[in-house]
Amino acid sequence: MSDDVLRIVHLYPEELGVSGDRGNVTSLAVRAHRAGVESTVLEYRVGDETPTVADVVVVGHGPLSGVRAVAADARRLAPALESFAASGVPVVAVGGGLELLSRGVEDVDGESVEGVGFFDALVRRGAPRRTNYLQVTTDYQGDEITLFGFEDHAAHLELGAGAEPFGAVVYGGGNGDGREGVRRGVSFGTQLKGPVLPLNPALTDRVLRVALSRRMISYSPGEGHVKLDEYAAASQKVIADNLERSFKAM
Amino acid sequence: MRYLVPVLAGRLVRAVARLRGGGSAYPGQTVLKLAPDFLTHVSSQFERGVVFVLGSNGKSTTTMMLTETLRAHGLKVFTNPTGANLPQGIASAFLREVTPFGRVRDDIGVIEVDEAFAVELTKSLHPSTVLMLNVQVDQLYRFFETERVGTMMTDTAAEATVAVVTNRDDQHLGPYQAVGRQTVSRFGASPEVVSASPNGLQNAHDFSREADASLTAETEVTALTGTGATITVSGTPIDVRLPARGLHYAVDAAAALQTASVVLGHPVDPAAVRRAFESMKPAYGRGERMSLGADEAEFIMFKNAASLQLNLDALPQGVEQVMLAIDEGTPDISWIYDIDFSHLDHVDVLAGAKAWQLALRLEHEGIPVHVIEEDISKAIRLMRALPSPSDNTKHFVTNYEQMMLARRILGHPDLEKTA
Ligand SMILES: [Zn+2]
């Protein structure tokens, strides 16, 4: 039984955890649990021993000061992340976490932060600030699905020549060119907050299937997921009805 | 004579606005249009100067505590009503207080100020003392970076002509250094008190800086017991009754007492402090009670993750009836996943457009929700229809916008709000 455990690694829960990012971890754990799969969560902090096992890696959002504070430590994790990717472990990165795992952040004043280089993308800060709902479509691990969330950033994301976006923007800013986020195999980075996984169960289920199929553990949502899915759908509908609403930054 | 016409015009606007049951930024706007230097004219008359109260959370409560403490020491204090913390709102508040010729009779002004307007307001109000309470993550959305909010506060503090009082335990604000001839002193909560609180102080982390353990506080929360606390001012412990439950109110009290000591020029008198706190009523939206059929509704307003958490932690154990309400007035509520809701074993009614997102959050936690009703007036009707709880109290935990709607529905229109 203990072999059938989903092992979640959560990177920098404080520095990159200002947008309810624990919610992404909670969503993975709760949906897995209600499908009969238990999970463990390893919270990784600056200076901790490099994690060697993971079925899914989650890193959340934080301000530039948060990204800067963990960047040197995170670069040390690059080989571990590469080996996870090589063995098919999905890495899910949101906002500041995406920035951290990119090649780096170029700030307006020329001050830059060197990233981990896990995703072939470069963040250019200084774009007009966006605080609005974000609607995205993605064919990540299946047919096209529609995702909803909130974006709050002032950056453009420039993808490397061979890099693939995570999805396409239906409403909102995303990377600044109609594309949203970045994908590398089964891993992705996105600006979708909300948090993205509880709010978008279809995406969460795909991440869980990728993470668990590697371990030959089957995953299928059932009775216990009905309320989660119903509330998520109703939340998405309210967002869809309010897409045009623009939120002033005061 | 210069101020006679502007003051009367502003008062006329205020009278009209009141008849319509509305508020209140207009009178201030009118007077500022007719007499742009009105704020300076009034504030320069306070013999003991002007105190600014700044912070992400707790401004209103602290302003009230400081005001009442100074009054208990015999001072005549002018203050702005809760939330009227933008320039027009402050002008409206002055308008109520001055003679038709623009004279004030108070000794000191204690003014809560919105941090976004604080630097600008130093130019007209010339604060002698600036009190900085805290920087909390909620403001991330408004100003993108917590550091920027912290900087807005410290830039304002730098303009204080006499003294700055700051929060030792806040990584942004604690290390503040005196500018020019101003003095700096600090308040805080003892480590024992903080570690006994289920979710700590909820201040924003400043990731570019290590906590400075060498900073000392002249005034400290040294014990917390239900709705009471011990605040130790320059070595003298003072037991106070808090206007509502929670560590944040105790820290606000420490901030108020340190600032009062600075303003008075000597540590506060324990007997006067106890008197002041004994008679204090909860601030607007912080435990305010309104009648609801045979029972009472108790309102707690939250602005952000920190205030929601602190307020939930302060609810009585096993709370019988509770409604949560949140709408589009709070745009991004991702942070609800950082909130520890375990204090609630159920929620009776969820209201507001974001009720579904809250329901989703609570379902992840396995906390049952009895009814979801987006429409606040229907939701209040549902709460009213519930049988009387044993303590006759139905708890309403709401964001600002839902609270304003709820107040109106319950027949409590709001007169002096500016937002
Ligand atoms: Zn109940």
Side-chain angles (χ1 to χ4, degrees), chain A residues 198-222:
Chain A
L199 203 51
N200 296 280
L203 176 65
T204 315
D205 285 348
R206 289 180 182 188
V207 173
L208 281 170
R209 279 203 192 89
V210 169
L212 291 168
S213 65
R214 233 186 93 250
R215 302 269 316 284
M216 311 292 202
I217 304 170
S218 69
Y219 169 81
S220 50

Side-chain angles (χ1 to χ4, degrees), chain A residues 34 63 65 129 133 247-248, chain B residues 141 145 147 328 354 363:
Chain A
R34 294 191 186 183
S65 58
R129 174 86 189 282
Y133 288 125
F247 295 104
K248 291 173 290 184
Chain B
Y141 161 74
E145 297 277 345
E147 296 92 290
E328 296 294 306
K354 287 202 159 79
E363 176 61 23

Side-chain angles (χ1 to χ4, degrees), chain B residues 319-322 345-349 370 383 386:
Chain B
V319 57
E320 284 176 61
Q321 289 182 11
V322 61
D345 60 7
H346 78 287
V347 172
D348 294 283
V349 181
H370 297 167
M383 284 296 283
L386 291 177

Side-chain angles (χ1 to χ4, degrees), chain B residues 98-229:
Chain B
V98 296
T99 68
F101 297 99
R103 310 297 306 171
V104 284
R105 285 152 292 201
D106 298 312
D107 303 315
I108 185 169
V110 175
I111 300 177
E112 103 169 58
V113 174
D114 186 282
E115 43 283 359
F117 295 87
V119 172
E120 180 197 327
L121 278 167
T122 60
K123 295 182 190 124
S124 50
L125 295 173
H126 305 290
S128 44
T129 301
V130 171
L131 163 60
M132 298 189 283
L133 291 173
N134 47 48
V135 181
Q136 291 173 345
V137 166
D138 70 297
Q139 304 282 10
L140 202 69
Y141 161 74
R142 250 175 87 191
F143 301 118
F144 203 40
E145 297 277 345
T146 45
E147 296 92 290
R148 209 190 291 175
V149 185
T151 306
M152 283 174 177
M153 293 189 204
T154 51
D155 285 353
T156 306
E159 301 296 324
T161 53
V162 178
V164 171
V165 178
T166 190
N167 184 344
R168 179 200 55 195
D169 305 328
D170 186 296
Q171 291 174 77
H172 292 271
L173 305 179
Y176 179 84
Q177 295 288 323
V179 174
R181 290 192 312 200
Q182 62 182 207
T183 62
V184 174
S185 62
R186 297 180 174 82
F187 62 92
S190 74
E192 298 74 38
V193 168
V194 174
S195 60
S197 162
N199 293 288
L201 284 168
Q202 298 284 321
N203 292 332
H205 289 283
D206 180 348
F207 298 112
S208 62
R209 202 148 41 199
E210 290 292 312
D212 185 348
S214 71
L215 292 173
T216 55
E218 285 76 0
T219 296
E220 236 188 5
V221 181
T222 47
L224 184 65
T225 52
T227 57

